[in-house]
């Protein structure tokens, strides 16, 4: 058990969560951080105090919470004094360095980065799937990879009903999944192309405007990318399903917001479209949008800014036994990040820390 976990375990026995917690957002100026501020406000999370933290570049910047200005402060070692819940979204190296300090200061960390997701001492949680794992936290709770979280919102209810063996999937991932600079890159490149100017690149290795990139994150020795491997690794942990297999191709597309995933899933039990639809209609956090005759199916534009993910294009898979194809879309800044983190914080309050 790491030192921070041992300290948190002791603290857990003595301290119940403040019902009006002091919240800190680390990475408050980023794409996820901004969505976190909005989500706390929209869901009327009982925030006693909000501290906004970012790098020295943003220190002094003003942001708004509940109609009042709040000044962003530089993240430093002492930033977590009195903080009950720290929502981290500033990348894995910042989380590795500062999350243990937040825990040592007596807070609970909900981390959006990949830093602790596969650590045995850290629950990896989608509240609609494994909220009960939160109770065994030792100071840090991890938010899953956004593509994995959105896929599992549809896959997990089907797994409960029919027992998933494996999936083959391709993702269509929005540029906001890379962060604020990637949103600017797509805007800039579209303007450059329309104006007949040369295209400049800063974030992606190739032009993203009017293109698709079959690479999200870095390549691993077997040829999959890190992002692609997360579906199987994180899916196994979240669903408590150690034999789950996932072969995924992750693709970056010139969409501003919301990821979509095309999934072919093979199940233990026979599955019909009607039975699957009935299961998905009852699933929390999910809307079935599936009326092909009227050209109605999930679209990233329609999933944007929505708490619920959307599933459609349900059909029997013609190449798998007990197979079902579906298409799921979700706002990765919300269900894939900010909303999921705030839902975890809500659950922490409900169970008293
Ligand atoms: N975007 C998504 O859809 C998504 C989904 C799930 C998880 N995540 C994860 O969430 C994290 C943030 O993603 P993002 O898309 O919001 O990125 P982003 O738009 O690039 O924002 C990064 C944030 O981190 C801050 N930051 C960077 N270096 C820092 C440092 N050394 N000290 C303190 N703050 C620092 C930045 O502050 P400055 O403004 O001062 O630079 C900014 O607030 C990443 O770990 C990412 O993998 C993102």
């Amino acid at each position: 058990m790491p030192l921070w976990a041992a300290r948190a375990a002791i603290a857990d026995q003595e301290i119940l969560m403040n019902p009006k917690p002091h919240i800190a957002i680390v990475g408050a100026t980023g794409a996820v951080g901004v969505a976190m501020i909005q989500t706390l406000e929209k869901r009327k999370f009982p925030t006693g105090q909000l501290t906004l933290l970012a790098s020295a570049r943003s220190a002094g910047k003003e942001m708004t919470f509940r109609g009042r200005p709040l000044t962003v402060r530089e993240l430093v070692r002492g930033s977590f004094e009195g903080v009950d819940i720290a929502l981290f979204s500033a990348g894995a190296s910042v989380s590795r360095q500062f999350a243990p300090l937040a825990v040592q200061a007596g807070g609970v960390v909900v981390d959006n980065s990949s830093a602790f997701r596969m650590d045995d001492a850290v629950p990896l949680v989608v509240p609609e799937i494994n909220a009960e794992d939160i109770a065994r936290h030792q100071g840090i709770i991890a938010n899953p990879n956004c593509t994995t979280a959105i896929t599992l919102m549809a896959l997990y209810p089907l797994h409960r009903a029919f027992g998933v063996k494996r999936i083959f999937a391709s993702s269509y991932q929005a540029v906001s999944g890379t962060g604020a600079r990637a949103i600017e890159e797509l805007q800039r490149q579209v303007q450059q192309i329309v104006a007949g100017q040369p295209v400049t690149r800063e974030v992606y290795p190739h032009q993203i405007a009017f293109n698709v990139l079959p690479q999200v994150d870095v390549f691993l020795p077997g040829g999959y990318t890190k992002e692609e491997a997360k579906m199987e690794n994180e899916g196994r942990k979240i669903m408590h399903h150690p034999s789950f297999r996932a072969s995924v191709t992750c693709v970056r597309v010139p969409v501003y917001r919301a990821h979509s995933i095309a999934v072919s899933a093979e199940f233990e039990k026979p599955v019909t479209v009607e039975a699957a639809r009935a299961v998905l209609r009852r699933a929390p956090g999910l809307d079935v949008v599936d009326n092909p005759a009227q050209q109605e199916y999930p679209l990233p534009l329609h999933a944007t800014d929505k708490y619920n993910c959307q599933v459609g294009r349900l059909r029997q898979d013609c190449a798998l036994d007990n197979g079902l194809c579906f298409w799921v879309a979700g706002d990765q800044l919300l269900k894939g990040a900010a909303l999921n983190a705030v839902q975890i914080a809500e659950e922490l309050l409900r169970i008293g820390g």
Side-chain angles (χ1 to χ4, degrees):
M1 184 188 285
L3 180 62
W4 54 264
R7 289 193 182 167
I10 296 162
D12 266 358
Q13 293 163 14
E14 296 163 357
I15 305 167
L16 260 185
M17 176 64 68
N18 176 358
K20 285 200 161 187
H22 177 174
I23 305 287
I25 299 179
V26 179
T29 52
V32 175
V34 169
M36 279 176 169
I37 298 170
Q38 291 165 351
T39 305
L40 286 173
E41 185 167 329
K42 272 196 196 162
R43 289 176 75 88
K44 299 189 169 37
F45 186 88
T47 312
Q49 189 181 335
L50 182 63
T51 295
L52 302 180
L53 301 164
S55 77
R57 293 180 290 274
S58 302
K61 184 178 169 186
E62 283 215 337
M63 299 181 80
T64 307
F65 180 60
R66 294 181 187 150
R68 297 213 181 121
L70 271 183
T71 305
V72 177
R73 295 198 223 143
E74 182 184 355
L75 174 66
V76 292
R77 291 181 67 84
S79 291
F80 300 101
E81 193 90 359
V83 168
D84 299 300
I85 301 176
L87 306 175
F88 272 68
S89 67
S93 59
V94 172
S95 291
R96 273 190 213 99
Q97 191 184 347
F98 288 93
L101 298 176
V103 176
Q104 282 168 20
V108 180
V109 168
V110 182
D111 183 35
N112 266 283
S113 81
S114 58
F116 305 104
R117 286 183 191 147
M118 298 312 294
D119 186 327
D120 285 341
V122 175
L124 177 64
V125 176
V126 176
E128 289 86 348
I129 299 174
N130 61 334
E132 66 283 357
D133 288 353
I134 293 173
R136 64 171 183 80
H137 80 82
Q138 296 173 17
I140 300 182
I141 300 156
N143 237 18
N145 164 259
C146 44
T147 305
T148 302
I150 291 164
T151 304
L152 293 188
M153 289 299 288
L155 184 64
Y156 182 71
L158 295 170
H159 167 56
R160 288 282 302 266
F162 310 109
V164 69
K165 283 161 70 174
R166 56 179 181 162
I167 65 166
F168 302 91
S170 293
S171 70
Y172 301 69
Q173 299 188 214
V175 293
S176 53
T178 314
R181 284 183 61 233
I183 302 172
E184 287 160 20
E185 177 133 320
L186 177 56
Q187 280 166 344
R188 188 188 67 245
Q189 290 184 350
V190 168
Q191 284 161 4
Q192 288 169 331
I193 290 165
V194 170
Q197 294 165 353
V199 168
T200 55
R201 288 182 284 109
E202 288 172 16
V203 176
Y204 294 117
H206 305 281
Q207 176 184 318
I208 183 64
F210 308 104
N211 202 6
V212 296
L213 311 181
Q215 180 187 357
V216 179
D217 210 335
V218 297
F219 286 98
L220 297 169
Y224 284 96
T225 64
K226 256 187 169 177
E227 182 87 351
E228 289 161 355
K230 287 172 186 173
M231 186 79 82
E232 180 169 286
N233 296 334
E234 297 186 20
R236 286 178 174 185
K237 183 168 174 178
I238 296 163
M239 295 195 287
H240 296 275
H241 184 356
S243 61
F244 170 63
R245 298 178 72 186
S247 176
V248 185
T249 302
C250 286
V251 182
R252 188 72 63 191
V253 297
V255 163
Y256 281 116
R257 185 157 165 172
H259 291 355
S260 309
I261 304 99
V263 182
S264 285
E266 188 177 51
F267 296 93
E268 301 283 353
K269 296 183 193 163
V271 51
T272 64
V273 169
E274 292 68 32
R277 192 174 281 129
V279 164
L280 293 169
R281 281 215 179 98
R282 289 194 301 271
L286 189 71
D287 294 331
V288 177
V289 182
D290 194 25
N291 186 2
Q294 300 296 322
Q295 281 92 44
E296 286 170 10
Y297 28 70
L299 295 174
L301 274 181
H302 293 170
T304 292
D305 236 354
K306 302 255 169 52
Y307 286 161
N308 280 7
C309 295
Q310 302 182 344
V311 66
R313 294 292 325 273
L314 296 183
R315 59 207 188 276
Q316 207 96 40
D317 191 299
C318 65
L320 291 176
D321 295 331
N322 299 340
L324 185 82
C325 299
F326 60 88
W327 168 262
V328 57
D331 189 326
Q332 94 292 341
L333 285 175
L334 292 177
K335 190 59 209 168
L339 170 65
N340 202 70
V342 173
Q343 285 177 302
I344 291 171
E346 289 169 350
E347 188 63 17
L348 276 171
L349 274 195
R350 201 183 63 74
I351 64 175

